[in-house]
Short mmCIF file of all heavy atoms in Angstrom, two decimals:
data_model
loop_
_atom_site.label_atom_id
_atom_site.label_comp_id
_atom_site.label_asym_id
_atom_site.label_seq_id
_atom_site.Cartn_x
_atom_site.Cartn_y
_atom_site.Cartn_z
N LYS A 1 0.85 -1.21 0.01
CA LYS A 1 -0.01 0.00 0.01
C LYS A 1 0.87 1.25 0.00
O LYS A 1 0.54 2.22 -0.66
CB LYS A 1 -0.93 0.02 1.22
CG LYS A 1 -2.07 -1.00 1.15
CD LYS A 1 -2.94 -0.89 2.37
CE LYS A 1 -4.11 -1.88 2.28
NZ LYS A 1 -4.99 -1.79 3.47
N ILE A 2 1.98 1.19 0.76
CA ILE A 2 2.91 2.35 0.80
C ILE A 2 3.50 2.61 -0.57
O ILE A 2 3.57 3.75 -1.05
CB ILE A 2 4.01 2.14 1.83
CG1 ILE A 2 3.40 2.16 3.26
CG2 ILE A 2 5.08 3.21 1.72
CD1 ILE A 2 4.37 1.77 4.36
N ARG A 3 3.95 1.48 -1.21
CA ARG A 3 4.53 1.66 -2.54
C ARG A 3 3.50 2.22 -3.54
O ARG A 3 3.79 3.04 -4.37
CB ARG A 3 5.10 0.31 -3.04
CG ARG A 3 6.43 -0.10 -2.38
CD ARG A 3 7.11 -1.19 -3.16
NE ARG A 3 6.34 -2.42 -3.13
CZ ARG A 3 6.52 -3.35 -2.20
NH1 ARG A 3 7.43 -3.21 -1.26
NH2 ARG A 3 5.81 -4.46 -2.22
N LEU A 4 2.27 1.68 -3.43
CA LEU A 4 1.19 2.14 -4.30
C LEU A 4 0.90 3.64 -4.07
O LEU A 4 0.72 4.42 -5.01
CB LEU A 4 -0.08 1.31 -4.07
CG LEU A 4 -1.27 1.69 -4.97
CD1 LEU A 4 -0.93 1.47 -6.43
CD2 LEU A 4 -2.49 0.80 -4.58
N SER A 5 0.91 4.02 -2.80
CA SER A 5 0.66 5.43 -2.45
C SER A 5 1.77 6.31 -2.99
O SER A 5 1.51 7.40 -3.53
CB SER A 5 0.56 5.59 -0.91
OG SER A 5 0.42 6.95 -0.57
N ARG A 6 3.01 5.88 -2.87
CA ARG A 6 4.15 6.66 -3.42
C ARG A 6 4.05 6.78 -4.91
O ARG A 6 4.35 7.79 -5.48
CB ARG A 6 5.46 5.99 -3.00
CG ARG A 6 5.79 6.15 -1.51
CD ARG A 6 7.05 5.38 -1.19
NE ARG A 6 7.43 5.58 0.22
CZ ARG A 6 8.40 4.92 0.83
NH1 ARG A 6 9.11 4.00 0.14
NH2 ARG A 6 8.69 5.15 2.09
N ARG A 7 3.65 5.67 -5.55
CA ARG A 7 3.55 5.68 -7.01
C ARG A 7 2.48 6.66 -7.45
O ARG A 7 2.64 7.42 -8.41
CB ARG A 7 3.23 4.28 -7.50
CG ARG A 7 3.34 4.14 -9.03
CD ARG A 7 3.07 2.72 -9.53
NE ARG A 7 4.01 1.77 -8.91
CZ ARG A 7 3.66 0.81 -8.08
NH1 ARG A 7 2.37 0.64 -7.75
NH2 ARG A 7 4.55 0.00 -7.59
N LYS A 8 1.36 6.65 -6.71
CA LYS A 8 0.27 7.60 -7.05
C LYS A 8 0.74 9.03 -6.85
O LYS A 8 0.42 9.91 -7.67
CB LYS A 8 -0.96 7.32 -6.19
CG LYS A 8 -1.69 6.06 -6.56
CD LYS A 8 -2.90 5.88 -5.66
CE LYS A 8 -3.69 4.63 -6.06
NZ LYS A 8 -4.88 4.43 -5.16
N LYS A 9 1.46 9.28 -5.79
CA LYS A 9 1.97 10.62 -5.52
C LYS A 9 2.96 11.06 -6.64
O LYS A 9 2.92 12.22 -7.11
CB LYS A 9 2.67 10.68 -4.16
CG LYS A 9 1.73 10.68 -2.98
CD LYS A 9 2.51 10.79 -1.68
CE LYS A 9 1.57 10.79 -0.49
NZ LYS A 9 2.28 10.88 0.81
N ALA A 10 3.81 10.11 -7.03
CA ALA A 10 4.77 10.44 -8.08
C ALA A 10 4.05 10.77 -9.39
O ALA A 10 4.43 11.73 -10.09
CB ALA A 10 5.73 9.26 -8.27
N ILE A 11 3.03 9.97 -9.72
CA ILE A 11 2.25 10.24 -10.93
C ILE A 11 1.55 11.57 -10.84
O ILE A 11 1.54 12.37 -11.78
CB ILE A 11 1.22 9.10 -11.14
CG1 ILE A 11 1.95 7.79 -11.48
CG2 ILE A 11 0.25 9.47 -12.29
CD1 ILE A 11 1.03 6.57 -11.52
N ARG A 12 0.97 11.85 -9.64
CA ARG A 12 0.29 13.15 -9.46
C ARG A 12 1.25 14.32 -9.58
O ARG A 12 0.95 15.31 -10.21
CB ARG A 12 -0.37 13.15 -8.08
CG ARG A 12 -1.21 14.43 -7.84
CD ARG A 12 -1.72 14.42 -6.41
NE ARG A 12 -0.60 14.47 -5.47
CZ ARG A 12 -0.76 14.31 -4.15
NH1 ARG A 12 -1.97 14.11 -3.64
NH2 ARG A 12 0.29 14.36 -3.36
N ASN A 13 2.45 14.15 -8.98
CA ASN A 13 3.45 15.21 -9.06
C ASN A 13 3.91 15.48 -10.49
O ASN A 13 4.13 16.60 -10.90
CB ASN A 13 4.64 14.90 -8.17
CG ASN A 13 4.30 14.97 -6.69
OD1 ASN A 13 3.31 15.63 -6.30
ND2 ASN A 13 5.10 14.32 -5.83
N ARG A 14 4.08 14.36 -11.22
CA ARG A 14 4.48 14.51 -12.64
C ARG A 14 3.38 15.22 -13.44
O ARG A 14 3.68 16.07 -14.29
CB ARG A 14 4.77 13.15 -13.26
CG ARG A 14 6.14 12.56 -12.85
CD ARG A 14 6.55 11.45 -13.79
NE ARG A 14 5.66 10.30 -13.69
CZ ARG A 14 5.83 9.29 -12.87
NH1 ARG A 14 6.87 9.29 -12.03
NH2 ARG A 14 4.95 8.29 -12.85
N ARG A 15 2.12 14.89 -13.14
CA ARG A 15 1.02 15.55 -13.82
C ARG A 15 0.98 17.03 -13.50
O ARG A 15 0.77 17.89 -14.37
CB ARG A 15 -0.30 14.90 -13.45
CG ARG A 15 -0.51 13.52 -14.07
CD ARG A 15 -1.79 12.89 -13.57
NE ARG A 15 -2.02 11.61 -14.23
CZ ARG A 15 -2.97 10.75 -13.88
NH1 ARG A 15 -3.82 11.09 -12.87
NH2 ARG A 15 -3.12 9.60 -14.51
N ILE A 16 1.21 17.36 -12.24
CA ILE A 16 1.22 18.77 -11.80
C ILE A 16 2.38 19.53 -12.51
O ILE A 16 2.18 20.63 -13.00
CB ILE A 16 1.35 18.89 -10.27
CG1 ILE A 16 0.09 18.37 -9.61
CG2 ILE A 16 1.64 20.35 -9.86
CD1 ILE A 16 0.19 18.27 -8.09
N LEU A 17 3.55 18.87 -12.51
CA LEU A 17 4.69 19.48 -13.17
C LEU A 17 4.46 19.69 -14.64
O LEU A 17 4.75 20.73 -15.22
CB LEU A 17 5.93 18.61 -12.96
CG LEU A 17 7.23 19.09 -13.62
CD1 LEU A 17 7.63 20.47 -13.08
CD2 LEU A 17 8.37 18.08 -13.41
N TYR A 18 3.81 18.69 -15.28
CA TYR A 18 3.51 18.80 -16.67
C TYR A 18 2.54 19.95 -16.94
O TYR A 18 2.75 20.75 -17.88
CB TYR A 18 2.87 17.48 -17.16
CG TYR A 18 2.36 17.51 -18.58
CD1 TYR A 18 3.23 17.43 -19.66
CD2 TYR A 18 0.99 17.66 -18.83
CE1 TYR A 18 2.76 17.46 -20.95
CE2 TYR A 18 0.54 17.70 -20.15
CZ TYR A 18 1.42 17.62 -21.21
OH TYR A 18 0.95 17.67 -22.48
N LEU A 19 1.51 20.08 -16.10
CA LEU A 19 0.55 21.17 -16.25
C LEU A 19 1.23 22.54 -16.06
O LEU A 19 0.96 23.49 -16.79
CB LEU A 19 -0.59 21.00 -15.25
CG LEU A 19 -1.57 19.86 -15.53
CD1 LEU A 19 -2.55 19.72 -14.37
CD2 LEU A 19 -2.35 20.13 -16.83
N VAL A 20 2.13 22.59 -15.08
CA VAL A 20 2.86 23.84 -14.83
C VAL A 20 3.71 24.21 -16.04
O VAL A 20 3.74 25.38 -16.49
CB VAL A 20 3.76 23.74 -13.59
CG1 VAL A 20 4.71 24.94 -13.46
CG2 VAL A 20 2.89 23.65 -12.32
N LEU A 21 4.38 23.22 -16.62
CA LEU A 21 5.21 23.47 -17.80
C LEU A 21 4.39 23.92 -18.97
O LEU A 21 4.73 24.84 -19.72
CB LEU A 21 6.00 22.22 -18.15
CG LEU A 21 7.14 21.84 -17.21
CD1 LEU A 21 7.73 20.49 -17.60
CD2 LEU A 21 8.22 22.91 -17.23
N VAL A 22 3.21 23.28 -19.16
CA VAL A 22 2.32 23.61 -20.28
C VAL A 22 1.82 25.08 -20.11
O VAL A 22 1.86 25.86 -21.07
CB VAL A 22 1.12 22.67 -20.35
CG1 VAL A 22 0.07 23.21 -21.33
CG2 VAL A 22 1.58 21.29 -20.77
N VAL A 23 1.43 25.43 -18.89
CA VAL A 23 0.95 26.77 -18.63
C VAL A 23 2.07 27.80 -18.86
O VAL A 23 1.87 28.85 -19.46
CB VAL A 23 0.41 26.92 -17.18
CG1 VAL A 23 0.12 28.38 -16.85
CG2 VAL A 23 -0.85 26.08 -17.02
N ALA A 24 3.29 27.49 -18.38
CA ALA A 24 4.42 28.36 -18.57
C ALA A 24 4.75 28.57 -20.05
O ALA A 24 5.00 29.70 -20.49
CB ALA A 24 5.66 27.79 -17.84
N ILE A 25 4.69 27.49 -20.83
CA ILE A 25 4.95 27.58 -22.26
C ILE A 25 3.89 28.43 -22.95
O ILE A 25 4.21 29.28 -23.79
CB ILE A 25 4.99 26.18 -22.89
CG1 ILE A 25 6.26 25.41 -22.42
CG2 ILE A 25 4.99 26.27 -24.43
CD1 ILE A 25 6.28 23.95 -22.81
N ILE A 26 2.63 28.26 -22.53
CA ILE A 26 1.54 29.06 -23.13
C ILE A 26 1.75 30.54 -22.83
O ILE A 26 1.57 31.39 -23.70
CB ILE A 26 0.20 28.58 -22.60
CG1 ILE A 26 -0.11 27.17 -23.15
CG2 ILE A 26 -0.92 29.55 -22.98
CD1 ILE A 26 -1.37 26.56 -22.54
N ILE A 27 2.14 30.84 -21.58
CA ILE A 27 2.37 32.25 -21.18
C ILE A 27 3.52 32.83 -21.97
O ILE A 27 3.45 33.99 -22.44
CB ILE A 27 2.64 32.33 -19.65
CG1 ILE A 27 1.38 31.96 -18.87
CG2 ILE A 27 3.13 33.74 -19.28
CD1 ILE A 27 1.59 31.89 -17.38
N ILE A 28 4.61 32.08 -22.10
CA ILE A 28 5.78 32.55 -22.85
C ILE A 28 5.43 32.82 -24.30
O ILE A 28 5.79 33.86 -24.89
CB ILE A 28 6.97 31.55 -22.75
CG1 ILE A 28 7.50 31.51 -21.31
CG2 ILE A 28 8.08 31.92 -23.72
CD1 ILE A 28 8.50 30.41 -21.07
N ILE A 29 4.70 31.89 -24.91
CA ILE A 29 4.30 32.05 -26.31
C ILE A 29 3.43 33.31 -26.46
O ILE A 29 3.56 34.09 -27.40
CB ILE A 29 3.52 30.81 -26.80
CG1 ILE A 29 4.48 29.61 -26.90
CG2 ILE A 29 2.86 31.08 -28.14
CD1 ILE A 29 3.81 28.31 -27.24
N ALA A 30 2.49 33.50 -25.49
CA ALA A 30 1.62 34.69 -25.53
C ALA A 30 2.41 35.97 -25.43
O ALA A 30 2.15 36.93 -26.13
CB ALA A 30 0.58 34.59 -24.44
N LEU A 31 3.41 35.98 -24.52
CA LEU A 31 4.24 37.16 -24.33
C LEU A 31 5.07 37.46 -25.59
O LEU A 31 5.17 38.64 -26.00
CB LEU A 31 5.17 36.97 -23.13
CG LEU A 31 4.52 37.04 -21.75
CD1 LEU A 31 5.51 36.66 -20.65
CD2 LEU A 31 3.92 38.41 -21.50
N VAL A 32 5.68 36.44 -26.15
CA VAL A 32 6.47 36.60 -27.39
C VAL A 32 5.58 37.16 -28.51
O VAL A 32 5.96 38.05 -29.25
CB VAL A 32 7.12 35.29 -27.80
CG1 VAL A 32 7.74 35.39 -29.20
CG2 VAL A 32 8.18 34.88 -26.79
N HIS A 33 4.38 36.58 -28.61
CA HIS A 33 3.45 37.02 -29.65
C HIS A 33 3.06 38.51 -29.43
O HIS A 33 3.01 39.28 -30.41
CB HIS A 33 2.18 36.17 -29.60
CG HIS A 33 1.14 36.63 -30.57
ND1 HIS A 33 1.22 36.43 -31.93
CD2 HIS A 33 -0.07 37.27 -30.37
CE1 HIS A 33 0.16 36.90 -32.54
NE2 HIS A 33 -0.63 37.44 -31.61
N GLN A 34 2.83 38.88 -28.16
CA GLN A 34 2.48 40.27 -27.87
C GLN A 34 3.60 41.23 -28.19
O GLN A 34 3.40 42.31 -28.76
CB GLN A 34 2.08 40.40 -26.40
CG GLN A 34 1.63 41.77 -25.96
CD GLN A 34 0.35 42.21 -26.66
OE1 GLN A 34 -0.43 41.35 -27.09
NE2 GLN A 34 0.12 43.51 -26.76
N ILE A 35 4.86 40.84 -27.81
CA ILE A 35 6.01 41.67 -28.13
C ILE A 35 6.19 41.84 -29.62
O ILE A 35 6.44 42.94 -30.11
CB ILE A 35 7.27 41.08 -27.49
CG1 ILE A 35 7.21 41.18 -25.96
CG2 ILE A 35 8.54 41.78 -27.98
CD1 ILE A 35 8.29 40.43 -25.22
N ARG A 36 6.07 40.74 -30.37
CA ARG A 36 6.19 40.80 -31.82
C ARG A 36 5.09 41.67 -32.40
O ARG A 36 5.36 42.43 -33.37
CB ARG A 36 6.11 39.39 -32.41
CG ARG A 36 7.38 38.54 -32.18
CD ARG A 36 7.20 37.15 -32.74
NE ARG A 36 8.45 36.39 -32.61
CZ ARG A 36 8.56 35.10 -32.91
NH1 ARG A 36 7.50 34.45 -33.40
NH2 ARG A 36 9.69 34.47 -32.76
#
């Protein structure tokens, strides 16, 4: 159960990190577009 819980946390953290990266990329693209 502990290993399963850790695995779930790791998956959740990766998903959060992925979402953060996606949002950051979208913001950067929007800023570059606005500057251009």
Side-chain angles (χ1 to χ4, degrees):
K1 288 182 177 180
I2 291 172
R3 284 196 293 270
L4 182 61
S5 177
R6 289 176 177 173
R7 191 177 300 115
K8 287 181 178 179
K9 286 181 179 180
I11 293 172
R12 184 185 63 188
N13 289 340
R14 283 197 295 270
R15 287 176 178 172
I16 292 172
L17 179 60
Y18 174 77
L19 288 173
V20 169
L21 289 173
V22 169
V23 171
I25 291 171
I26 291 173
I27 291 173
I28 291 171
I29 291 174
L31 287 173
V32 170
H33 176 74
Q34 183 64 24
I35 291 171
R36 287 178 176 174

